[in-house]
Amino acid sequence: MATYTLPELPYDYAALEPVINPQIIELHHDKHHAAYVKGANDTLEQLEEARDKEAWGAINGLEKNLAFHLSGHILHSIYWHNMTGDGGGEPLEKDGVGELADAIAESFGSFAKFKSQLTKASATTQGSGWGVLAYEPVSGRLIVEQIYDHQGNVGQGSVPILVFDAWEHAFYLQYKNQKVDFIEAMWKVVNWQDVAKRYASAKQRAHNLLLAP
């Protein structure tokens, strides 16, 4: 039995129009995300075979492949739930996400400053990558991270709570080569309820990071 499985979308293909058209959602989820799930499972099988045979000639490539595919699976699984057709705007106390709003203001100075940083981090990722809002457990603050491919500039132990996919397959059919336009449009579908739940959960698990015995 496969270790990882492709999660179902929490909405239909057309739910995020006009920000993301149905064709992109279908291809992105059913083909690209599915490929990362298959890649992670295939790599686990290859590592099992390597252990059984004590054949470690390909270990560096296998470990890199596992990190690549597994990170792709995890980031996409967050990505789908980070979006909703009824989303957008900014987190506000009246919407029940005041704790997240306060954390953003404390960590970045204001929502506008946070939005500017995450937009720039996402839009300027070299090649394929992601912009990420993450909870950093050592300081208890929120930070913006820039991920190349599915790995990259991340703080160890940080927990992603909002992810912007800046790979071309996420937008090219609709936005062509205008990555910045896609990232700007993404703010119209952010599901702040989901982000707030992830923030609360990350804070509760912060003690799991053992810095010293």
Side-chain angles (χ1 to χ4, degrees):
M1 181 178 295
T3 300
Y4 301 106
T5 58
L6 180 67
E8 294 185 3
L9 286 171
Y11 35 71
D12 61 40
Y13 295 138
L16 302 179
E17 286 194 295
V19 173
I20 309 177
N21 68 40
Q23 184 183 17
I24 289 178
I25 296 295
E26 181 177 5
L27 289 171
H28 196 170
H29 175 268
D30 296 1
K31 301 299 182 182
H32 290 282
H33 189 172
Y36 299 127
V37 173
K38 183 179 185 304
N41 287 324
D42 288 349
T43 306
L44 286 179
E45 291 181 1
Q46 294 166 28
L47 284 165
E48 181 179 9
E49 182 178 357
R51 290 193 298 271
D52 291 342
K53 296 181 177 180
E54 280 291 320
W56 300 112
I59 185 62
N60 288 339
L62 289 174
E63 294 290 358
K64 184 175 182 180
N65 283 345
L66 181 61
F68 175 82
H69 290 297
L70 181 54
S71 293
H73 172 41
I74 291 171
L75 288 168
H76 280 93
S77 296
I78 298 170
Y79 179 67
W80 305 125
H81 287 273
N82 273 170
M83 299 183 291
T84 175
D86 300 323
E90 62 179 278
L92 299 172
E93 185 175 359
K94 69 180 182 66
D95 297 323
V97 291
E99 186 177 359
L100 172 64
D102 290 344
I104 288 174
E106 181 179 352
S107 298
F108 299 99
S110 69
F111 177 80
K113 291 178 180 179
F114 153 67
K115 181 179 178 181
S116 179
Q117 183 177 347
L118 182 55
T119 297
K120 290 296 184 182
S122 304
T124 60
T125 302
Q126 294 177 334
S128 300
W130 299 71
V132 174
L133 172 67
Y135 176 75
E136 194 282 289
V138 176
S139 66
R141 296 173 62 86
L142 294 172
I143 60 173
V144 165
E145 300 179 327
Q146 196 176 50
I147 298 178
Y148 305 121
D149 291 332
H150 296 316
Q151 305 165 63
N153 294 343
V154 298
Q156 298 300 314
S158 63
V159 180
I161 63 172
L162 173 63
V163 299
F164 280 7
D165 191 342
W167 283 63
E168 286 189 347
H169 64 238
F171 64 88
Y172 198 85
L173 289 176
Q174 185 173 356
Y175 293 85
K176 308 308 180 193
N177 64 334
Q178 299 302 312
K179 183 190 294 186
V180 174
D181 291 346
F182 171 66
I183 299 302
E184 288 287 356
M186 276 290 299
W187 290 102
K188 299 176 182 178
V189 295
V190 173
N191 184 348
W192 292 115
Q193 298 293 330
D194 181 70
V195 179
K197 290 177 182 177
R198 294 179 187 278
Y199 171 64
S201 179
K203 285 182 63 178
Q204 290 176 357
R205 301 200 310 269
H207 66 279
N208 292 337
L209 182 63
L210 184 64
L211 292 180

